[in-house]
């Protein structure tokens, strides 16, 4: 998961797929179910096309394939690695002065700045590549709307607008669809997200509503 900032939600708040929404058509991960949905193309506020697409969706949540891959594997959580030492035939992980273990291989998925810092001594070439990476910020809005006023699409690519992607979250397989309101994800365009990155999350909806429509 990329580094993120979130508004705290109540414990009983509904779950949203607020990061990755779908898998690529070529993805071969389980457990996943094909989702046939209506995909709209929208320019500004004008819908120019709606087509039916089918893409795999992990079930019951987006993290299901990762959980399946970890079955039978001894995992250690909530442990910070502060140093990596590379040897001729092994890799050693440390937490400050504590020796965490020796391993044959290392896969690191931390954000690039943290990865670069960890890899400086053990793999300087890879560290330099990580340090050269740049990220675009991405505001994501989780919202509800009345289920008795359905939209003509389930997902949408949008141009010329602060919102770049919409997805009907609880229309996807194994997500609760009734009773209750529709749940939607709105992911914002990089330019809008970058220009408002220092704003309070509470102010983003108002900023969006003030955008010319």
């Amino acid at each position: 998961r990329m580094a993120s900032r979130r508004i705290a939600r109540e414990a009983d708040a509904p779950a949203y797929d607020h990061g990755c929404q779908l898998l690529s058509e070529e993805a071969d991960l389980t457990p996943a179910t094909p989702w046939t949905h209506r995909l709209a193309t929208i320019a500004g506020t004008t819908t120019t096309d709606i087509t039916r697409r089918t893409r795999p969706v992990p079930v019951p949540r987006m993290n299901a394939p990762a959980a399946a891959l970890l079955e039978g594997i001894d995992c250690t959580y909530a442990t910070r690695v502060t140093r990596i030492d590379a040897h001729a035939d092994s890799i050693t992980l440390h937490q400050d002065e504590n020796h965490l273990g020796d391993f044959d291989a290392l896969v690191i998925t931390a954000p690039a700045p943290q990865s670069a810092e960890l890899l400086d001594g053990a793999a300087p070439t890879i560290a330099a590549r990580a340090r050269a990476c740049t990220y675009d910020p991405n505001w994501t809005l989780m919202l509800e709307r009345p289920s008795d006023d359905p939209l003509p699409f389930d997902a949408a690519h949008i141009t010329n607008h602060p919102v770049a992607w919409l997805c009907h979250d609880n229309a996807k397989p194994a997500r609760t669809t009734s009773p209750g309101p529709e749940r939607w994800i709105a992911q914002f365009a990089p330019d809008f997200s970058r220009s408002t990155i220092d704003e309070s999350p509470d102010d983003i909806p108002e900023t969006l509503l003030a955008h010319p429509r």
Side-chain angles (χ1 to χ4, degrees), residues 19-43:
C20 177
Q21 304 291 299
L22 307 165
L23 299 179
S24 67
E25 295 176 358
E26 299 80 15
D28 184 20
L29 293 174
T30 57
T33 298
W35 179 40
T36 299
H37 55 282
R38 299 162 299 169
L39 178 64
T41 301
I42 301 175

Side-chain angles (χ1 to χ4, degrees), residues 62-88:
M62 291 300 292
N63 63 358
L69 290 172
L70 292 175
E71 288 183 2
I73 297 177
D74 184 18
C75 297
T76 300
Y77 299 97
T79 301
R80 183 186 179 195
V81 175
T82 58
R83 191 174 89 248
I84 300 170
D85 292 337
H87 311 289

